[in-house]
């Protein structure tokens, strides 16, 4: 029999699904899990610890934190040559500013969850993903044993509806989930990180320096200058790339 699995991305919509399970608006899943990539923003774990874990536990649901490092077969670099940077970094290799493909979320999250499920003896599952109706373009129909379900889309809920639902629990608005170094962060979100999560911001600066030792053409922002040199008080026209570059994964949900 196919297992029902709540795959939390740690963000707004996933917190809404957790709240709906707590309230009985969704049934209890057979498994609830979140993959820890070891890059997740500090604010996500604080929120999970303060609100989501205890609330789910109160209704008998354990949200398992799966360590990506134990289940992923690749780290920051992969591909046939084991030298391909897996994150969607910006690149100036051609002279213009371009983008590398997003390979990290599949390697660090999707495959990790599937391997963990196999370890639990699960051979097929319906995996709940927290896309809201305004994100329906992210849907990809899966073939094989790991089918997907989108509870918020089934309920015609938008991202704002999710936020309102969570607030009615008496919880604060959940932080948006992402790796602290994710190159898909908008200028505004990076500015927010620099002000409110200075340790994560510093880690991102150091991270960019490290990947640029390997390849001097890669950057964490579209500006293609060192992250630490950017004045985030200056308005910027950089577009929000979240929607475009994280299809079919639990990133930013
Ligand atoms: S949040 Fe960004 S860096 Fe992290 S797994 Fe998703 S796409 Fe990759």
């Amino acid at each position: 029999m196919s297992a029902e699995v709540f795959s939390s991305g740690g963000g707004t919509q996933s917190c809404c699904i957790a709240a709906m399970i707590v309230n009985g608006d969704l049934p209890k899943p057979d498994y609830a899990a979140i993959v820890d990539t070891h890059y997740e923003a500090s604010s996500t774990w604080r929120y999970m610890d303060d609100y989501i874990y205890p609330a789910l536990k109160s209704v008998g649901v354990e949200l398992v934190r799966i360590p990506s490092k134990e289940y992923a077969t690749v780290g920051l670099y992969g591909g046939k040559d084991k030298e391909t940077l897996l994150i969607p970094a910006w690149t100036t290799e051609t002279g213009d500013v371009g983008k590398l493909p997003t390979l990290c979320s599949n390697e660090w999250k999707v495959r990790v969850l599937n391997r963990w499920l196999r370890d639990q003896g699960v051979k097929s599952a319906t995996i709940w993903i927290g896309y809201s109706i305004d994100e329906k373009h992210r849907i990809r129909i899966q073939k094989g044993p790991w089918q997907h379900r989108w509870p918020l889309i089934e309920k015609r809920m938008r991202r704002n509806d999710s936020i309102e639902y969570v607030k009615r629990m008496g919880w604060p608005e959940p932080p948006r989930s992402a790796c602290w170094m994710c190159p898909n962060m908008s200028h505004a979100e990076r500015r927010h990180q620099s002000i409110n999560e200075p340790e994560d911001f510093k880690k991102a600066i150091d991270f960019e320096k490290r990947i640029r030792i390997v390849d001097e053409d890669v950057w964490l922002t579209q500006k293609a200058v060192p992250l630490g040199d950017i004045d985030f008080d200056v308005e910027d026209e950089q577009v929000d790339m979240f929607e475009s570059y994280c299809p079919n994964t639990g990133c930013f949900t």
Side-chain angles (χ1 to χ4, degrees):
M1 203 179 76
S2 183
E4 295 290 322
V5 178
F6 166 36
S7 171
S8 171
T12 308
Q13 287 94 330
S14 292
C15 291
C16 179
I17 289 180
M20 293 174 103
I21 293 169
V22 173
N23 284 343
D25 287 336
L26 284 171
K28 292 182 198 174
D30 299 310
Y31 297 92
I34 178 169
V35 176
D36 181 358
T37 63
H38 303 277
Y39 293 111
E40 194 67 37
S42 308
S43 54
T44 297
W45 294 128
R46 282 198 301 272
Y47 195 93
M48 302 298 280
D49 288 343
D50 289 349
Y51 300 100
I52 305 302
Y53 284 115
L56 285 172
K57 195 172 176 190
S58 73
V59 295
V61 176
E62 184 196 2
L63 181 63
V64 178
R65 187 165 160 172
I66 307 170
S68 185
K69 280 182 181 163
E70 268 184 37
Y71 288 90
T73 56
V74 288
L76 196 51
Y77 296 88
K80 284 183 185 159
D81 56 5
K82 305 289 183 206
E83 293 180 1
T84 302
L85 183 60
L86 299 182
I87 65 169
W90 299 91
T91 175
T92 46
E93 191 175 6
T94 64
D96 295 326
V97 181
K99 200 98 186 312
L100 299 178
T102 306
L103 305 172
C104 43
S105 46
N106 194 41
E107 293 290 352
W108 299 347
K109 293 184 175 179
V110 177
R111 290 183 167 176
V112 163
L113 176 65
N114 295 350
R115 287 180 193 125
W116 179 82
L117 285 170
R118 280 193 206 99
D119 263 9
Q120 312 312 305
V122 176
K123 294 188 172 59
S124 66
T126 302
I127 298 172
W128 306 0
I129 306 286
Y131 295 164
S132 44
I133 195 80
D134 42 317
E135 297 179 311
K136 58 181 183 293
H137 56 281
R138 298 178 72 184
I139 287 176
R140 302 287 184 276
I141 304 298
Q142 300 294 304
K143 293 179 182 166
W146 313 116
Q147 304 288 316
H148 284 176
R149 177 184 171 188
W150 308 276
L152 302 181
I153 290 178
E154 290 168 13
K155 294 179 183 297
R156 319 303 292 169
M157 291 177 72
R158 304 185 72 80
R159 179 179 154 78
N160 279 347
D161 299 324
S162 305
I163 293 171
E164 290 309 312
Y165 191 103
V166 167
K167 284 183 174 173
R168 285 199 293 277
M169 300 292 288
W171 304 345
E173 182 174 336
R176 199 160 186 173
S177 68
C179 295
W180 42 257
M181 79 310 190
C182 185
N184 289 341
M185 266 191 204
S186 67
H187 185 89
E189 280 169 310
R190 194 63 79 183
R191 177 172 51 221
H192 181 272
Q193 182 192 50
S194 70
I195 296 167
N196 298 294
E197 301 290 344
E199 287 189 12
D200 283 357
F201 185 63
K202 184 177 179 313
K203 282 194 288 188
I205 290 173
D206 293 341
F207 177 91
E208 187 186 59
K209 285 178 184 166
R210 287 205 309 277
I211 60 174
R212 285 180 38 71
I213 289 171
V214 179
D215 179 354
E216 63 180 10
D217 287 320
V218 294
W219 309 89
L220 288 188
T221 71
Q222 193 174 5
K223 282 182 162 300
V225 296
L227 184 57
D229 292 353
I230 297 174
D231 181 357
F232 286 99
D233 289 334
V234 175
E235 285 303 315
D236 192 279
E237 292 186 343
Q238 186 180 27
V239 289
D240 187 336
M241 304 303 290
F242 282 114
E243 311 294 349
S244 315
Y245 284 89
C246 295
N248 196 28
T249 73
C251 298
F252 309 101
T253 62

